Amino acid sequence: GDEEDDGGMGDERAEACRPALERLAVNDVDGGAGALLEVLRADPSNPTALALAGSIAMRADKPALAHDVLTEALRLDPACSSALMHRGHLFECVGRDMEEAEDAYLDALRAAPGDVPATYA
């Protein structure tokens, strides 16, 4: 099909993050972080998990850590839409040039059209 040849790992990696996402969706940050830690122990190069870790770092008011984690997620997968979206949010929150934030959001839309997380809609 039109899927990239990643051996199905992209979907599997994203699915591994579902328990963390479910906890974060109900503001259970500690539970989400714990579930995410389990994912990262099993697969430290999971870009989706790293993107979520960046989101948690932002919630914890640690923008430098969030930036580093999101940068690593994007190094591993430059088209990781969740990392791109969180990077846009980070740039917006830390008062970076709004053009940088908009560029990050547009990159996320280009990476996964129609897959914008509901929290950003």
Side-chain angles (χ1 to χ4, degrees), residues 56-82:
I56 290 171
M58 286 191 304
R59 288 183 187 204
D61 198 27
K62 297 182 179 183
L65 176 60
H67 182 270
D68 290 349
V69 173
L70 293 170
T71 298
E72 177 63 8
L74 291 167
R75 185 190 68 77
L76 293 166
D77 180 3
C80 179
S81 61
S82 58

Side-chain angles (χ1 to χ4, degrees), residues 12-109:
E12 186 177 307
R13 286 175 148 179
E15 187 61 32
C17 295
R18 183 175 299 279
L21 275 170
E22 289 171 352
R23 288 182 175 94
L24 292 171
V26 295
N27 289 321
D28 178 5
V29 178
D30 290 340
L36 196 55
L37 186 57
E38 292 300 315
V39 173
L40 287 168
R41 280 187 182 136
D43 182 6
S45 63
N46 181 326
T48 302
L50 289 167
L52 286 173
S55 174
I56 290 171
M58 286 191 304
R59 288 183 187 204
D61 198 27
K62 297 182 179 183
L65 176 60
H67 182 270
D68 290 349
V69 173
L70 293 170
T71 298
E72 177 63 8
L74 291 167
R75 185 190 68 77
L76 293 166
D77 180 3
C80 179
S81 61
S82 58
L84 290 164
M85 187 64 70
H86 289 304
R87 185 176 66 174
H89 185 91
L90 173 66
F91 287 171
E92 190 175 343
C93 289
V94 299
R96 298 267 298 252
D97 183 345
M98 275 308 294
E99 192 171 316
E100 284 183 289
E102 289 172 5
D103 286 346
Y105 288 136
L106 288 172
D107 288 343
L109 288 170

